[in-house]
Amino acid sequence: MNQLGYQAHQKTCTTILVGKHATIDGSTMIARNEDGGDEPNPQKFVVYPANAAGTVYESGANHVKIPLPENGFRYTATPDADDSFGVWAGAGINSQNVAMTATETSTTNTRVLAADPLVDGGIGEADITTLVLPYIKSAREGVTRLGQLLKTYGTYESNGIAFSDQEEVWYFESIGGHHWAAIRIPDDAFVVAPNRFNIDYFDFNSEDTMSSADLEQFITDHHLNPGIDVTTPNLRHIFGSASDKDRAYNNPRAWYVHRLFAKDVADEQPEDQDLPFIVYPKKKLSVDDVKFALSSHYQGTAFDPYEHEQAPLKYRPIGINRNQESHILQIRPNMPANIAGVHWLGYGPNTFNAFVPFYVSVTTTPASFEKTTPAFDVSTSYWLTRVIAVIADKDFATYQDMQARFEQQIVADNVNLQQQTDQTIQAGQTVDLEAVNQKMADNYMLAANTLLGKMTKLGTKKMQLRFSVDD
């Protein structure tokens, strides 16, 4: 729960951002594990239609009312199956091929909260995607619109938000109740953002940064800069935390992904408080690489809870039971507009699922991904994946290879279908993208059901309640 007692159930996420020159195919990618508590919080995959008439949005979290512009764009989203506490649209791509993921719950310090207190009647994660994504034509416009909303209405929590289009990736962090800062990720770089204030060095005079108009003066007036950085201010030092919790809960996640993909990070340690925000990869990154990172649990280190089952779980992993839905929002270059955006989506703990590359130029989504119910229903992707994860987690060594083969095969099958579809559309022919998405969802459900069947058969042989003598 957050300061207001709202059900801030997406509060433990991990975000990964990749610039276009750091990817293997020149696409931009923004990705996030939408995490919650230890109990399931079912998610669904929907398409919200374009809306020509301006309306008034009322938050389900605190009932703040906000007028909406006219001519909102169609967009994909991943809201909660139970909307009792608000929409929580999560992430998506709009019809202009602009992507947004919101939010990465972050930390701040008491100096900031004293100078600019959080606003009980403001906006928060439950609202932000709905208020911004339908009304922007670029990643920069997303930063600007969200900044204006914060100035006008304030926020009741600290968050990080990412935007991308075909050219740019931006990361935005709220500061106190009304302030904010955003930075463009260099095209040849990537970012890992756990649940802390993440932006570090920040040039207020750069074309690749934006912030609330009075942010520099706000820092000066309230004596927020500890003076560690002489030339360029470090916003993490000014606005963020450096707590014992950060050492175990946040920093190791960034350290591990840096260890996987970054160059020149040999001296980094898991508990470092000053791990760099922007890092540069030692190779071009693929969707598979980002998915592996989002599923990771410190493989190859002494901190892997599956490899070292007797050791205490020292650091919070990225792949975890709290994963509710996870996405990679990919905007691809040199593609017709109707197939440039791909909403890669997986439900449940990432260590045991596979992502499906859904096209976004559609008006409906497959029922197995859309019709998720708050109550258990194994005919939906969310609950089916949950069952697989619960069984596999209890005996990881037994099911590890089986799950890995499942993921490899279903992703290969669906990407093959995606490639065929791309080629057909690039050749000037018409394709029913909703039918393609349906086929991908059907492929996933069949493969996941087959996996669950194999796990059940193998698990039956290993049950404690058995006897070696037959009739």
Side-chain angles (χ1 to χ4, degrees):
M1 305 294 282
N2 65 14
Q3 291 93 336
L4 300 178
Y6 304 149
Q7 191 185 39
H9 39 289
Q10 282 82 24
K11 60 182 183 295
T12 60
C13 312
T14 306
T15 296
I16 298 177
L17 316 173
V18 192
K20 63 183 180 181
H21 294 326
T23 62
I24 201 167
D25 63 351
S27 62
T28 59
M29 290 190 284
I30 62 175
R32 182 170 61 93
N33 286 350
E34 185 172 336
D35 298 345
D38 286 334
E39 292 188 2
N41 176 28
Q43 307 289 298
K44 58 185 179 180
F45 179 48
V46 303
V47 177
Y48 290 116
N51 183 11
T55 59
V56 175
Y57 172 83
E58 181 175 356
S59 174
N62 63 359
H63 304 291
V64 61
K65 294 181 179 181
I66 299 174
L68 295 176
E70 296 179 350
N71 301 317
F73 301 119
R74 184 195 71 241
Y75 64 106
T76 58
T78 50
D80 288 359
D82 178 1
D83 62 1
S84 301
F85 298 92
V87 178
W88 300 84
I93 303 174
N94 71 21
S95 58
Q96 306 301 297
N97 284 320
V98 180
M100 175 182 181
T101 182
T103 68
E104 181 72 32
T105 304
S106 64
T107 58
T108 188
N109 60 60
T110 56
R111 301 187 306 277
V112 175
L113 296 180
D116 183 11
L118 298 174
V119 180
D120 285 1
I123 63 174
E125 180 173 356
D127 319 304
I128 288 176
T129 302
T130 305
L131 293 171
V132 177
L133 184 55
Y135 308 104
I136 56 176
K137 296 181 181 179
S138 70
R140 284 179 184 258
E141 283 191 13
V143 171
T144 300
R145 174 161 173 79
L146 181 53
Q148 291 170 341
L149 287 166
L150 285 185
K151 178 181 179 180
T152 303
Y153 298 98
T155 182
Y156 54 78
E157 59 190 6
S158 300
N159 281 315
I161 299 94
F163 300 94
S164 66
D165 52 36
Q166 208 163 48
E167 299 297 326
E168 298 185 339
V169 176
W170 283 80
Y171 192 65
F172 178 115
E173 289 191 284
S174 64
I175 298 166
H178 299 88
H179 291 82
W180 58 274
I183 189 167
R184 181 176 184 257
I185 309 307
D187 293 338
D188 57 346
F190 76 97
V191 157
V192 185
N195 300 112
R196 61 173 299 168
F197 196 96
N198 286 288
I199 298 174
D200 50 17
Y201 296 103
F202 193 84
D203 181 356
F204 281 95
N205 298 314
S206 171
E207 293 183 355
D208 293 330
T209 64
M210 289 189 276
S211 64
S212 44
D214 65 337
L215 190 60
E216 281 189 282
Q217 192 63 45
F218 174 73
I219 294 170
T220 300
D221 289 348
H222 296 280
H223 310 289
L224 298 176
N225 193 339
I228 301 172
D229 314 287
V230 178
T231 54
T232 304
N234 185 316
L235 299 193
R236 193 186 305 162
H237 291 165
I238 295 170
F239 301 120
S241 63
S243 66
D244 290 338
K245 180 178 179 180
D246 288 328
R247 273 191 277 270
Y249 193 84
N250 291 317
N251 306 342
R253 284 182 273 163
W255 164 80
Y256 184 71
V257 183
H258 290 182
R259 184 178 187 268
L260 290 175
F261 303 136
K263 57 185 178 183
D264 302 326
V265 293
D267 295 333
E268 289 188 3
Q269 298 299 319
E271 299 186 15
D272 283 354
Q273 298 283 21
D274 285 320
L275 294 171
F277 174 61
I278 292 171
V279 290
Y280 296 86
K282 54 191 173 186
K283 69 180 184 70
K284 302 280 189 177
L285 300 181
S286 67
V287 168
D288 291 341
D289 291 325
V290 176
K291 168 59 167 71
F292 181 88
L294 292 174
S295 307
S296 63
H297 42 88
Y298 303 113
Q299 296 97 308
T301 76
F303 314 121
D304 185 347
Y306 291 128
E307 187 174 350
H308 305 280
E309 295 182 10
Q310 304 306 315
L313 187 57
K314 187 174 183 179
Y315 299 135
R316 191 271 206 204
I318 296 175
I320 196 170
N321 66 329
R322 299 175 189 175
N323 302 150
Q324 305 295 340
E325 65 86 11
S326 303
H327 49 267
I328 302 170
L329 307 180
Q330 181 185 27
I331 311 297
R332 304 183 295 171
N334 306 316
M335 287 284 181
N338 65 327
I339 58 172
V342 182
H343 190 139
W344 293 80
L345 177 64
Y347 289 135
N350 281 346
T351 305
F352 308 102
N353 67 11
F355 282 14
V356 180
F358 289 118
Y359 290 103
V360 300
S361 295
V362 294
T363 57
T364 62
T365 54
S368 57
F369 281 76
E370 178 192 5
K371 303 298 185 183
T372 309
T373 54
F376 180 83
D377 180 359
V378 77
S379 69
T380 64
S381 175
Y382 180 90
W383 287 112
L384 176 59
T385 306
R386 277 277 171 205
V387 172
I388 291 170
V390 169
I391 296 173
D393 176 76
K394 296 300 182 182
D395 194 350
F396 184 76
T398 294
Y399 301 114
Q400 178 182 14
D401 289 343
M402 189 180 292
Q403 193 282 329
R405 289 193 298 270
F406 150 77
E407 182 174 5
Q408 182 182 57
Q409 189 59 57
I410 186 57
V411 172
D413 289 347
N414 277 343
V415 170
N416 178 261
L417 176 57
Q418 180 192 47
Q419 290 174 350
Q420 292 178 33
T421 303
D422 289 347
Q423 291 166 7
T424 301
I425 290 176
Q426 287 174 306
Q429 300 180 47
T430 301
V431 176
D432 183 346
L433 294 178
E434 291 178 1
V436 175
N437 282 355
Q438 184 64 56
K439 176 61 176 174
M440 289 182 179
D442 291 345
N443 288 346
Y444 181 88
M445 293 298 290
L446 176 60
N449 270 294
T450 300
L451 172 63
L452 180 59
K454 292 178 179 179
M455 293 171 64
T456 302
K457 290 179 181 179
L458 181 58
T460 300
K461 298 177 183 179
K462 296 170 66 67
M463 289 177 64
Q464 296 276 353
L465 196 64
R466 65 185 190 274
F467 197 70
S468 59
V469 178
D470 293 332
D471 289 339

